[in-house]
Amino acid sequence: MTVTSPADADLEVVHARRPRPRRGVSLRDAGPPVALVVVFGVFAALSPGFRTLSNVQNVLDAAAVLTVVTCGITFVLMMGSIDLSAPGIMGASAIAVALLVANNRNDNDFGLLGVVVAVLLGAGLGCLSGLALVTLKVPSFMTTLGISAVGLGVATLMFAGVQPNVSDRMLEGLAVERFLGLAHLTWIAFACVLVGWLVQRYSRLGRYAFAIGGAEEVLALSGVRVAPYKVAVFTMAGAFYGLAGVMVTSQLGAGLVQAGKGYDFSAIAAAVVGGTLLIGGRGGILHSAVGVLLVTVLTNGLVQIGVSPYWQGGVQGLIVVAAVAAAVIPQRRRNQVTK
Amino acid sequence: MSTPVITTPAAEAAVTGRAGVGRRLTSFMPVIALVVLLAALTVADPGFLTLNSLTAAARTSAPLVVLAAGATLVVLCGGIDLSIAALCSLATVFFALWLPDAGGLTTVAVIAATAAIGAVQGVAHVLLRIPSFIVTLGGMSIFSAIALVISDAGPIRVVDRDATHWLTLYVGGVVPMAFVVALLVVVVVSLVLRLTPLESWIRATGYSESAARLAGAPVDVVKIAAFTVSGACAGLAAVMLVSRNFSGSPTMADNLLLPAVAAIVVGGTAITGGHGSLWRSLAGALVVTLLRVGLPIVGVPSAYEQILYGAIIVAAVALTLDRSKVLTIK
């Protein structure tokens, strides 16, 4: 910037600064969708089985559960925290819902109410990790690791050695019945993205989650009580995991303790690939949705071109490390201490 | 996770002001817990305090002790290694696959391989500046994938039992060799740390990385070394597991991650880095093993084991966390 008279300088600053952040953000935001199109194109060119309409339906249906988990984890990541509790919470809610709707283990037949209870159970467990974070001041990756173990334990207790098979029409139908070519579960996932986007965009919770990730100290110093919002974000994430557990039960037709195995890491991978930074303050639901599609297309495409499905986790691991490494490059100097 | 760190005198005060009664009590916490547990188990079942069952418990604890001891070094530097269990599983597969060709050298080869893998994680953490728990979380899923692919997702039998026979021996007819080896690991690593500047460097890195850097400590090399040792320990633990199970499997050690993390934090090593030692993790690992062995004795279903691990981890971290050092908890 050249030094001119103060008035000119002000004008110049206004003119020079405005477009700059926009350009930067748009480049960052455009990356994942472009990558999605490129990856999709590459697989479509390589594999005839990939470029069929039914396979696109498959991809969308396969992305449903991961989408819901990622909706939850995105808010936590936006705050700069991390959440490893998805496997435990999903396991607990999967068994809970299987035992509450019509099943082969007991005479319960609560239908939709059972689903609500399972989601609330997830929210409760999420709330616990949030409370442990703000009251005991334990870092979130430790509290959520602990809560995940607690959830798995609760699930194992309820499992009690006999697998609960679901015979509830409504719950089974969610995975089987289709609307406009997509399973009902996929529409639920769309609804979750919409709800998440509305919360992120228009509610105080969503705005504060961003602000906490950006500069928690500043927010606290301006008189905002940060702790309740943190607990609320973890509670909401727990509710999303609870719903995801219900969806897995609907797909499998039975409650399994391992219903959520690996979803924590896949969701982190999806969110990070979509452009949500692990240090918080950037990203969002729509970014994560693109990330989920990217991860699912990659998984599906690799299988279609004949790569062993066992590599799935390895590919996600590489993606996460690469995406995080790429994201921290601009901040190398600022971020001198890495734990 | 990049934790905002204050490097004001407040942090230094916390380092030196360790002599308080509460602080001293927490520093003996693992030993007290160990004694209380032993006493409680003996009351619940008088048959527990016999040579046979104690020997069995010691033998069970050996892989856990080794895993926890290695990861403790990383925690002392202020990081965390979540890949130990997956790496250990991968190493059991390596062992089972390499044994027919490498014979007696397999143990060395496996430990060297896991040490190299650990070093790669350390280099990724240091050079790419990725938080250690992301690197190792990524490593965890990559190692699991490799193990699944090379083993074809099933257990591989180990037919030649001579290579691991020495680990199943008993020293003096009483102490299991595996436990002796685990103790040796703790003693040797502790001695090496004590007799070289390494201990000061590791502590300095953990307490305040930027200060350590400014003071000229080779922070990056120390961190990579910590990850290397952690990897090597995962390999050794894998050999111990194979010596007991006579097979290698891509998921054999996966359920050891939570107990190992629990052992470290129950021992009183602060997750924020700097404060703690390998001896503490040894005590922590014994506490965790006793809980594991003891719950069925007291008549608690093993499903509670998981819940207990979760509660213990959160509670122990809450007790040992150095709050003066962390400005905001993420």
PDB file of all heavy atoms in Angstrom, chain A residues 74-75 77-80 197 199-201 203-216 219 233 275-277 279-285 287, chain B residues 330:
ATOM      1  N   THR A  74     -19.270 -31.739  12.981  1.00  0.00           N
ATOM      2  CA  THR A  74     -18.840 -30.467  12.391  1.00  0.00           C
ATOM      3  C   THR A  74     -18.902 -29.325  13.399  1.00  0.00           C
ATOM      4  O   THR A  74     -17.975 -28.518  13.492  1.00  0.00           O
ATOM      5  CB  THR A  74     -19.720 -30.147  11.172  1.00  0.00           C
ATOM      6  OG1 THR A  74     -19.576 -31.193  10.234  1.00  0.00           O
ATOM      7  CG2 THR A  74     -19.312 -28.842  10.532  1.00  0.00           C
ATOM      8  N   PHE A  75     -20.001 -29.279  14.182  1.00  0.00           N
ATOM      9  CA  PHE A  75     -20.115 -28.190  15.156  1.00  0.00           C
ATOM     10  C   PHE A  75     -19.005 -28.278  16.200  1.00  0.00           C
ATOM     11  O   PHE A  75     -18.469 -27.266  16.638  1.00  0.00           O
ATOM     12  CB  PHE A  75     -21.494 -28.236  15.831  1.00  0.00           C
ATOM     13  CG  PHE A  75     -22.591 -27.736  14.955  1.00  0.00           C
ATOM     14  CD1 PHE A  75     -23.374 -28.613  14.243  1.00  0.00           C
ATOM     15  CD2 PHE A  75     -22.813 -26.382  14.822  1.00  0.00           C
ATOM     16  CE1 PHE A  75     -24.371 -28.156  13.414  1.00  0.00           C
ATOM     17  CE2 PHE A  75     -23.809 -25.910  13.996  1.00  0.00           C
ATOM     18  CZ  PHE A  75     -24.601 -26.805  13.292  1.00  0.00           C
ATOM     19  N   LEU A  77     -16.014 -29.611  15.761  1.00  0.00           N
ATOM     20  CA  LEU A  77     -14.754 -29.209  15.124  1.00  0.00           C
ATOM     21  C   LEU A  77     -14.707 -27.701  14.926  1.00  0.00           C
ATOM     22  O   LEU A  77     -13.656 -27.086  15.050  1.00  0.00           O
ATOM     23  CB  LEU A  77     -14.593 -29.916  13.771  1.00  0.00           C
ATOM     24  CG  LEU A  77     -14.431 -31.427  13.811  1.00  0.00           C
ATOM     25  CD1 LEU A  77     -14.277 -31.983  12.407  1.00  0.00           C
ATOM     26  CD2 LEU A  77     -13.253 -31.835  14.660  1.00  0.00           C
ATOM     27  N   MET A  78     -15.868 -27.092  14.630  1.00  0.00           N
ATOM     28  CA  MET A  78     -15.902 -25.646  14.444  1.00  0.00           C
ATOM     29  C   MET A  78     -15.460 -24.919  15.702  1.00  0.00           C
ATOM     30  O   MET A  78     -14.878 -23.855  15.643  1.00  0.00           O
ATOM     31  CB  MET A  78     -17.317 -25.203  14.058  1.00  0.00           C
ATOM     32  CG  MET A  78     -17.518 -25.200  12.570  1.00  0.00           C
ATOM     33  SD  MET A  78     -19.121 -24.745  11.953  1.00  0.00           S
ATOM     34  CE  MET A  78     -20.180 -24.530  13.306  1.00  0.00           C
ATOM     35  N   MET A  79     -15.739 -25.526  16.869  1.00  0.00           N
ATOM     36  CA  MET A  79     -15.309 -24.920  18.134  1.00  0.00           C
ATOM     37  C   MET A  79     -13.824 -25.147  18.398  1.00  0.00           C
ATOM     38  O   MET A  79     -13.287 -24.654  19.382  1.00  0.00           O
ATOM     39  CB  MET A  79     -16.072 -25.527  19.313  1.00  0.00           C
ATOM     40  CG  MET A  79     -17.535 -25.231  19.341  1.00  0.00           C
ATOM     41  SD  MET A  79     -18.191 -25.539  20.980  1.00  0.00           S
ATOM     42  CE  MET A  79     -17.633 -27.206  21.297  1.00  0.00           C
ATOM     43  N   GLY A  80     -13.179 -25.954  17.551  1.00  0.00           N
ATOM     44  CA  GLY A  80     -11.774 -26.269  17.792  1.00  0.00           C
ATOM     45  C   GLY A  80     -11.603 -27.467  18.701  1.00  0.00           C
ATOM     46  O   GLY A  80     -10.479 -27.807  19.057  1.00  0.00           O
ATOM     47  N   TRP A 197     -27.638 -26.762   8.849  1.00  0.00           N
ATOM     48  CA  TRP A 197     -27.317 -25.505   8.185  1.00  0.00           C
ATOM     49  C   TRP A 197     -28.106 -24.350   8.804  1.00  0.00           C
ATOM     50  O   TRP A 197     -27.566 -23.268   9.021  1.00  0.00           O
ATOM     51  CB  TRP A 197     -27.629 -25.627   6.690  1.00  0.00           C
ATOM     52  CG  TRP A 197     -27.260 -24.400   5.922  1.00  0.00           C
ATOM     53  CD1 TRP A 197     -26.001 -23.988   5.588  1.00  0.00           C
ATOM     54  CD2 TRP A 197     -28.153 -23.408   5.414  1.00  0.00           C
ATOM     55  NE1 TRP A 197     -26.054 -22.817   4.894  1.00  0.00           N
ATOM     56  CE2 TRP A 197     -27.367 -22.430   4.763  1.00  0.00           C
ATOM     57  CE3 TRP A 197     -29.537 -23.262   5.438  1.00  0.00           C
ATOM     58  CZ2 TRP A 197     -27.924 -21.319   4.151  1.00  0.00           C
ATOM     59  CZ3 TRP A 197     -30.094 -22.150   4.820  1.00  0.00           C
ATOM     60  CH2 TRP A 197     -29.282 -21.195   4.186  1.00  0.00           C
ATOM     61  N   VAL A 199     -29.246 -24.216  11.890  1.00  0.00           N
ATOM     62  CA  VAL A 199     -28.684 -23.937  13.213  1.00  0.00           C
ATOM     63  C   VAL A 199     -27.399 -23.122  13.065  1.00  0.00           C
ATOM     64  O   VAL A 199     -27.178 -22.125  13.754  1.00  0.00           O
ATOM     65  CB  VAL A 199     -28.399 -25.256  13.963  1.00  0.00           C
ATOM     66  CG1 VAL A 199     -27.560 -24.998  15.207  1.00  0.00           C
ATOM     67  CG2 VAL A 199     -29.691 -25.945  14.337  1.00  0.00           C
ATOM     68  N   GLN A 200     -26.560 -23.550  12.127  1.00  0.00           N
ATOM     69  CA  GLN A 200     -25.269 -22.895  11.952  1.00  0.00           C
ATOM     70  C   GLN A 200     -25.457 -21.453  11.493  1.00  0.00           C
ATOM     71  O   GLN A 200     -24.766 -20.544  11.925  1.00  0.00           O
ATOM     72  CB  GLN A 200     -24.477 -23.684  10.907  1.00  0.00           C
ATOM     73  CG  GLN A 200     -23.163 -23.045  10.511  1.00  0.00           C
ATOM     74  CD  GLN A 200     -22.698 -23.604   9.189  1.00  0.00           C
ATOM     75  OE1 GLN A 200     -22.915 -24.765   8.890  1.00  0.00           O
ATOM     76  NE2 GLN A 200     -22.072 -22.771   8.389  1.00  0.00           N
ATOM     77  N   ARG A 201     -26.448 -21.236  10.637  1.00  0.00           N
ATOM     78  CA  ARG A 201     -26.601 -19.939   9.998  1.00  0.00           C
ATOM     79  C   ARG A 201     -27.405 -18.966  10.850  1.00  0.00           C
ATOM     80  O   ARG A 201     -27.066 -17.794  10.964  1.00  0.00           O
ATOM     81  CB  ARG A 201     -27.320 -20.167   8.667  1.00  0.00           C
ATOM     82  CG  ARG A 201     -27.422 -18.971   7.769  1.00  0.00           C
ATOM     83  CD  ARG A 201     -26.177 -18.820   6.955  1.00  0.00           C
ATOM     84  NE  ARG A 201     -26.000 -17.423   6.570  1.00  0.00           N
ATOM     85  CZ  ARG A 201     -26.064 -16.992   5.328  1.00  0.00           C
ATOM     86  NH1 ARG A 201     -26.229 -17.841   4.367  1.00  0.00           N
ATOM     87  NH2 ARG A 201     -25.922 -15.714   5.052  1.00  0.00           N
ATOM     88  N   SER A 203     -28.962 -19.608  14.194  1.00  0.00           N
ATOM     89  CA  SER A 203     -29.149 -19.665  15.639  1.00  0.00           C
ATOM     90  C   SER A 203     -27.907 -19.135  16.352  1.00  0.00           C
ATOM     91  O   SER A 203     -26.812 -19.118  15.798  1.00  0.00           O
ATOM     92  CB  SER A 203     -29.425 -21.090  16.087  1.00  0.00           C
ATOM     93  OG  SER A 203     -28.216 -21.792  16.173  1.00  0.00           O
ATOM     94  N   ARG A 204     -28.122 -18.706  17.586  1.00  0.00           N
ATOM     95  CA  ARG A 204     -27.012 -18.198  18.382  1.00  0.00           C
ATOM     96  C   ARG A 204     -25.991 -19.307  18.609  1.00  0.00           C
ATOM     97  O   ARG A 204     -24.788 -19.082  18.580  1.00  0.00           O
ATOM     98  CB  ARG A 204     -27.566 -17.698  19.717  1.00  0.00           C
ATOM     99  CG  ARG A 204     -26.543 -16.999  20.541  1.00  0.00           C
ATOM    100  CD  ARG A 204     -27.163 -16.338  21.722  1.00  0.00           C
ATOM    101  NE  ARG A 204     -27.920 -15.152  21.354  1.00  0.00           N
ATOM    102  CZ  ARG A 204     -28.523 -14.377  22.232  1.00  0.00           C
ATOM    103  NH1 ARG A 204     -28.473 -14.679  23.509  1.00  0.00           N
ATOM    104  NH2 ARG A 204     -29.184 -13.327  21.846  1.00  0.00           N
ATOM    105  N   LEU A 205     -26.484 -20.536  18.812  1.00  0.00           N
ATOM    106  CA  LEU A 205     -25.604 -21.678  19.049  1.00  0.00           C
ATOM    107  C   LEU A 205     -24.588 -21.826  17.921  1.00  0.00           C
ATOM    108  O   LEU A 205     -23.382 -21.960  18.147  1.00  0.00           O
ATOM    109  CB  LEU A 205     -26.466 -22.938  19.166  1.00  0.00           C
ATOM    110  CG  LEU A 205     -25.738 -24.226  19.546  1.00  0.00           C
ATOM    111  CD1 LEU A 205     -25.137 -24.107  20.919  1.00  0.00           C
ATOM    112  CD2 LEU A 205     -26.688 -25.403  19.483  1.00  0.00           C
ATOM    113  N   GLY A 206     -25.089 -21.775  16.683  1.00  0.00           N
ATOM    114  CA  GLY A 206     -24.212 -21.949  15.533  1.00  0.00           C
ATOM    115  C   GLY A 206     -23.197 -20.824  15.414  1.00  0.00           C
ATOM    116  O   GLY A 206     -22.012 -21.042  15.177  1.00  0.00           O
ATOM    117  N   ARG A 207     -23.672 -19.583  15.586  1.00  0.00           N
ATOM    118  CA  ARG A 207     -22.769 -18.440  15.465  1.00  0.00           C
ATOM    119  C   ARG A 207     -21.691 -18.503  16.553  1.00  0.00           C
ATOM    120  O   ARG A 207     -20.531 -18.239  16.293  1.00  0.00           O
ATOM    121  CB  ARG A 207     -23.538 -17.113  15.592  1.00  0.00           C
ATOM    122  CG  ARG A 207     -24.766 -16.978  14.733  1.00  0.00           C
ATOM    123  CD  ARG A 207     -24.502 -17.153  13.274  1.00  0.00           C
ATOM    124  NE  ARG A 207     -23.540 -16.191  12.757  1.00  0.00           N
ATOM    125  CZ  ARG A 207     -23.084 -16.211  11.518  1.00  0.00           C
ATOM    126  NH1 ARG A 207     -23.510 -17.133  10.683  1.00  0.00           N
ATOM    127  NH2 ARG A 207     -22.214 -15.321  11.116  1.00  0.00           N
ATOM    128  N   TYR A 208     -22.119 -18.851  17.772  1.00  0.00           N
ATOM    129  CA  TYR A 208     -21.143 -18.892  18.869  1.00  0.00           C
ATOM    130  C   TYR A 208     -20.156 -20.035  18.690  1.00  0.00           C
ATOM    131  O   TYR A 208     -18.996 -19.919  19.071  1.00  0.00           O
ATOM    132  CB  TYR A 208     -21.848 -18.998  20.220  1.00  0.00           C
ATOM    133  CG  TYR A 208     -22.337 -17.669  20.742  1.00  0.00           C
ATOM    134  CD1 TYR A 208     -23.068 -17.585  21.913  1.00  0.00           C
ATOM    135  CD2 TYR A 208     -22.058 -16.495  20.057  1.00  0.00           C
ATOM    136  CE1 TYR A 208     -23.523 -16.364  22.392  1.00  0.00           C
ATOM    137  CE2 TYR A 208     -22.512 -15.268  20.518  1.00  0.00           C
ATOM    138  CZ  TYR A 208     -23.242 -15.210  21.690  1.00  0.00           C
ATOM    139  OH  TYR A 208     -23.686 -14.009  22.151  1.00  0.00           O
ATOM    140  N   ALA A 209     -20.632 -21.175  18.107  1.00  0.00           N
ATOM    141  CA  ALA A 209     -19.703 -22.281  17.872  1.00  0.00           C
ATOM    142  C   ALA A 209     -18.559 -21.812  16.983  1.00  0.00           C
ATOM    143  O   ALA A 209     -17.387 -22.086  17.247  1.00  0.00           O
ATOM    144  CB  ALA A 209     -20.426 -23.464  17.236  1.00  0.00           C
ATOM    145  N   PHE A 210     -18.907 -21.042  15.941  1.00  0.00           N
ATOM    146  CA  PHE A 210     -17.874 -20.448  15.081  1.00  0.00           C
ATOM    147  C   PHE A 210     -16.958 -19.552  15.891  1.00  0.00           C
ATOM    148  O   PHE A 210     -15.722 -19.638  15.817  1.00  0.00           O
ATOM    149  CB  PHE A 210     -18.537 -19.586  14.000  1.00  0.00           C
ATOM    150  CG  PHE A 210     -18.592 -20.247  12.680  1.00  0.00           C
ATOM    151  CD1 PHE A 210     -19.797 -20.549  12.091  1.00  0.00           C
ATOM    152  CD2 PHE A 210     -17.417 -20.559  12.003  1.00  0.00           C
ATOM    153  CE1 PHE A 210     -19.855 -21.157  10.868  1.00  0.00           C
ATOM    154  CE2 PHE A 210     -17.464 -21.162  10.771  1.00  0.00           C
ATOM    155  CZ  PHE A 210     -18.696 -21.474  10.204  1.00  0.00           C
ATOM    156  N   ALA A 211     -17.578 -18.680  16.698  1.00  0.00           N
ATOM    157  CA  ALA A 211     -16.802 -17.678  17.426  1.00  0.00           C
ATOM    158  C   ALA A 211     -15.883 -18.344  18.441  1.00  0.00           C
ATOM    159  O   ALA A 211     -14.741 -17.918  18.631  1.00  0.00           O
ATOM    160  CB  ALA A 211     -17.748 -16.702  18.118  1.00  0.00           C
ATOM    161  N   ILE A 212     -16.380 -19.428  19.090  1.00  0.00           N
ATOM    162  CA  ILE A 212     -15.545 -20.130  20.072  1.00  0.00           C
ATOM    163  C   ILE A 212     -14.307 -20.692  19.382  1.00  0.00           C
ATOM    164  O   ILE A 212     -13.188 -20.609  19.888  1.00  0.00           O
ATOM    165  CB  ILE A 212     -16.348 -21.252  20.760  1.00  0.00           C
ATOM    166  CG1 ILE A 212     -17.411 -20.652  21.674  1.00  0.00           C
ATOM    167  CG2 ILE A 212     -15.420 -22.158  21.571  1.00  0.00           C
ATOM    168  CD1 ILE A 212     -18.372 -21.680  22.248  1.00  0.00           C
ATOM    169  N   GLY A 213     -14.503 -21.232  18.182  1.00  0.00           N
ATOM    170  CA  GLY A 213     -13.358 -21.769  17.452  1.00  0.00           C
ATOM    171  C   GLY A 213     -12.414 -20.672  17.005  1.00  0.00           C
ATOM    172  O   GLY A 213     -11.197 -20.841  16.983  1.00  0.00           O
ATOM    173  N   GLY A 214     -12.968 -19.535  16.637  1.00  0.00           N
ATOM    174  CA  GLY A 214     -12.132 -18.446  16.146  1.00  0.00           C
ATOM    175  C   GLY A 214     -11.306 -17.823  17.241  1.00  0.00           C
ATOM    176  O   GLY A 214     -10.093 -17.688  17.124  1.00  0.00           O
ATOM    177  N   ALA A 215     -11.962 -17.402  18.316  1.00  0.00           N
ATOM    178  CA  ALA A 215     -11.239 -16.728  19.397  1.00  0.00           C
ATOM    179  C   ALA A 215     -12.053 -16.842  20.670  1.00  0.00           C
ATOM    180  O   ALA A 215     -12.842 -15.969  20.990  1.00  0.00           O
ATOM    181  CB  ALA A 215     -10.998 -15.266  19.044  1.00  0.00           C
ATOM    182  N   GLU A 216     -11.847 -17.950  21.391  1.00  0.00           N
ATOM    183  CA  GLU A 216     -12.628 -18.182  22.601  1.00  0.00           C
ATOM    184  C   GLU A 216     -12.368 -17.121  23.665  1.00  0.00           C
ATOM    185  O   GLU A 216     -13.287 -16.656  24.334  1.00  0.00           O
ATOM    186  CB  GLU A 216     -12.299 -19.576  23.145  1.00  0.00           C
ATOM    187  CG  GLU A 216     -13.157 -19.944  24.322  1.00  0.00           C
ATOM    188  CD  GLU A 216     -12.912 -21.368  24.769  1.00  0.00           C
ATOM    189  OE1 GLU A 216     -12.386 -22.146  23.968  1.00  0.00           O
ATOM    190  OE2 GLU A 216     -13.252 -21.662  25.912  1.00  0.00           O
ATOM    191  N   LEU A 219     -14.249 -13.961  23.002  1.00  0.00           N
ATOM    192  CA  LEU A 219     -15.671 -14.144  23.257  1.00  0.00           C
ATOM    193  C   LEU A 219     -15.948 -14.106  24.758  1.00  0.00           C
ATOM    194  O   LEU A 219     -16.890 -13.449  25.212  1.00  0.00           O
ATOM    195  CB  LEU A 219     -16.122 -15.486  22.668  1.00  0.00           C
ATOM    196  CG  LEU A 219     -17.608 -15.635  22.397  1.00  0.00           C
ATOM    197  CD1 LEU A 219     -18.033 -14.656  21.327  1.00  0.00           C
ATOM    198  CD2 LEU A 219     -17.928 -17.051  21.973  1.00  0.00           C
ATOM    199  N   VAL A 233     -23.326 -27.714  22.300  1.00  0.00           N
ATOM    200  CA  VAL A 233     -22.809 -28.241  21.030  1.00  0.00           C
ATOM    201  C   VAL A 233     -22.539 -29.737  21.158  1.00  0.00           C
ATOM    202  O   VAL A 233     -22.913 -30.527  20.276  1.00  0.00           O
ATOM    203  CB  VAL A 233     -21.531 -27.481  20.612  1.00  0.00           C
ATOM    204  CG1 VAL A 233     -20.787 -28.261  19.539  1.00  0.00           C
ATOM    205  CG2 VAL A 233     -21.876 -26.101  20.102  1.00  0.00           C
ATOM    206  N   GLY A 275     -13.157 -29.053   4.275  1.00  0.00           N
ATOM    207  CA  GLY A 275     -12.629 -27.716   4.502  1.00  0.00           C
ATOM    208  C   GLY A 275     -12.860 -27.178   5.900  1.00  0.00           C
ATOM    209  O   GLY A 275     -12.663 -25.994   6.149  1.00  0.00           O
ATOM    210  N   THR A 276     -13.296 -28.023   6.845  1.00  0.00           N
ATOM    211  CA  THR A 276     -13.419 -27.594   8.232  1.00  0.00           C
ATOM    212  C   THR A 276     -12.052 -27.757   8.902  1.00  0.00           C
ATOM    213  O   THR A 276     -11.472 -28.834   8.848  1.00  0.00           O
ATOM    214  CB  THR A 276     -14.467 -28.442   8.965  1.00  0.00           C
ATOM    215  OG1 THR A 276     -15.720 -28.283   8.296  1.00  0.00           O
ATOM    216  CG2 THR A 276     -14.615 -28.007  10.399  1.00  0.00           C
ATOM    217  N   LEU A 277     -11.560 -26.664   9.479  1.00  0.00           N
ATOM    218  CA  LEU A 277     -10.236 -26.737  10.093  1.00  0.00           C
ATOM    219  C   LEU A 277     -10.326 -27.328  11.489  1.00  0.00           C
ATOM    220  O   LEU A 277     -11.247 -27.029  12.241  1.00  0.00           O
ATOM    221  CB  LEU A 277      -9.612 -25.347  10.196  1.00  0.00           C
ATOM    222  CG  LEU A 277      -9.194 -24.685   8.903  1.00  0.00           C
ATOM    223  CD1 LEU A 277      -8.315 -23.480   9.210  1.00  0.00           C
ATOM    224  CD2 LEU A 277      -8.436 -25.646   8.019  1.00  0.00           C
ATOM    225  N   ILE A 279      -8.432 -26.623  13.941  1.00  0.00           N
ATOM    226  CA  ILE A 279      -8.188 -25.625  14.983  1.00  0.00           C
ATOM    227  C   ILE A 279      -9.425 -24.772  15.198  1.00  0.00           C
ATOM    228  O   ILE A 279      -9.452 -23.928  16.087  1.00  0.00           O
ATOM    229  CB  ILE A 279      -6.984 -24.723  14.653  1.00  0.00           C
ATOM    230  CG1 ILE A 279      -7.088 -24.206  13.223  1.00  0.00           C
ATOM    231  CG2 ILE A 279      -5.688 -25.454  14.862  1.00  0.00           C
ATOM    232  CD1 ILE A 279      -6.130 -23.093  12.921  1.00  0.00           C
ATOM    233  N   GLY A 280     -10.469 -25.002  14.414  1.00  0.00           N
ATOM    234  CA  GLY A 280     -11.736 -24.350  14.669  1.00  0.00           C
ATOM    235  C   GLY A 280     -11.896 -23.041  13.908  1.00  0.00           C
ATOM    236  O   GLY A 280     -10.958 -22.517  13.314  1.00  0.00           O
ATOM    237  N   GLY A 281     -13.148 -22.557  13.930  1.00  0.00           N
ATOM    238  CA  GLY A 281     -13.405 -21.245  13.361  1.00  0.00           C
ATOM    239  C   GLY A 281     -13.644 -21.225  11.864  1.00  0.00           C
ATOM    240  O   GLY A 281     -13.928 -20.179  11.300  1.00  0.00           O
ATOM    241  N   ARG A 282     -13.506 -22.357  11.192  1.00  0.00           N
ATOM    242  CA  ARG A 282     -13.746 -22.346   9.753  1.00  0.00           C
ATOM    243  C   ARG A 282     -14.455 -23.623   9.324  1.00  0.00           C
ATOM    244  O   ARG A 282     -14.305 -24.652   9.954  1.00  0.00           O
ATOM    245  CB  ARG A 282     -12.432 -22.204   9.018  1.00  0.00           C
ATOM    246  CG  ARG A 282     -12.628 -21.417   7.758  1.00  0.00           C
ATOM    247  CD  ARG A 282     -11.355 -21.028   7.086  1.00  0.00           C
ATOM    248  NE  ARG A 282     -11.053 -19.624   7.234  1.00  0.00           N
ATOM    249  CZ  ARG A 282      -9.852 -19.169   7.571  1.00  0.00           C
ATOM    250  NH1 ARG A 282      -8.899 -19.982   7.830  1.00  0.00           N
ATOM    251  NH2 ARG A 282      -9.641 -17.875   7.659  1.00  0.00           N
ATOM    252  N   GLY A 283     -15.203 -23.516   8.232  1.00  0.00           N
ATOM    253  CA  GLY A 283     -15.913 -24.696   7.746  1.00  0.00           C
ATOM    254  C   GLY A 283     -17.389 -24.576   7.996  1.00  0.00           C
ATOM    255  O   GLY A 283     -17.892 -23.480   8.186  1.00  0.00           O
ATOM    256  N   GLY A 284     -18.073 -25.693   7.996  1.00  0.00           N
ATOM    257  CA  GLY A 284     -19.506 -25.638   8.209  1.00  0.00           C
ATOM    258  C   GLY A 284     -20.172 -26.880   7.674  1.00  0.00           C
ATOM    259  O   GLY A 284     -19.515 -27.766   7.125  1.00  0.00           O
ATOM    260  N   ILE A 285     -21.497 -26.920   7.867  1.00  0.00           N
ATOM    261  CA  ILE A 285     -22.262 -28.100   7.509  1.00  0.00           C
ATOM    262  C   ILE A 285     -22.163 -28.404   6.011  1.00  0.00           C
ATOM    263  O   ILE A 285     -21.944 -29.543   5.609  1.00  0.00           O
ATOM    264  CB  ILE A 285     -23.731 -27.894   7.905  1.00  0.00           C
ATOM    265  CG1 ILE A 285     -23.854 -27.868   9.422  1.00  0.00           C
ATOM    266  CG2 ILE A 285     -24.608 -28.974   7.320  1.00  0.00           C
ATOM    267  CD1 ILE A 285     -23.647 -29.189  10.076  1.00  0.00           C
ATOM    268  N   HIS A 287     -19.867 -27.517   3.879  1.00  0.00           N
ATOM    269  CA  HIS A 287     -18.518 -28.024   3.583  1.00  0.00           C
ATOM    270  C   HIS A 287     -18.447 -29.512   3.902  1.00  0.00           C
ATOM    271  O   HIS A 287     -17.941 -30.309   3.121  1.00  0.00           O
ATOM    272  CB  HIS A 287     -17.464 -27.309   4.441  1.00  0.00           C
ATOM    273  CG  HIS A 287     -17.332 -25.856   4.150  1.00  0.00           C
ATOM    274  ND1 HIS A 287     -18.245 -24.936   4.572  1.00  0.00           N
ATOM    275  CD2 HIS A 287     -16.387 -25.173   3.487  1.00  0.00           C
ATOM    276  CE1 HIS A 287     -17.864 -23.744   4.179  1.00  0.00           C
ATOM    277  NE2 HIS A 287     -16.730 -23.849   3.518  1.00  0.00           N
TER     278      HIS A 287
ATOM    279  N   LYS B 330      -9.714 -27.135  24.837  1.00  0.00           N
ATOM    280  CA  LYS B 330     -10.476 -27.365  23.604  1.00  0.00           C
ATOM    281  C   LYS B 330     -11.096 -28.745  23.662  1.00  0.00           C
ATOM    282  O   LYS B 330     -10.428 -29.702  23.914  1.00  0.00           O
ATOM    283  CB  LYS B 330      -9.576 -27.247  22.394  1.00  0.00           C
ATOM    284  CG  LYS B 330      -9.228 -25.808  22.085  1.00  0.00           C
ATOM    285  CD  LYS B 330     -10.449 -25.055  21.605  1.00  0.00           C
ATOM    286  CE  LYS B 330     -10.077 -23.622  21.227  1.00  0.00           C
ATOM    287  NZ  LYS B 330     -11.260 -22.837  20.907  1.00  0.00           N
TER     288      LYS B 330
END
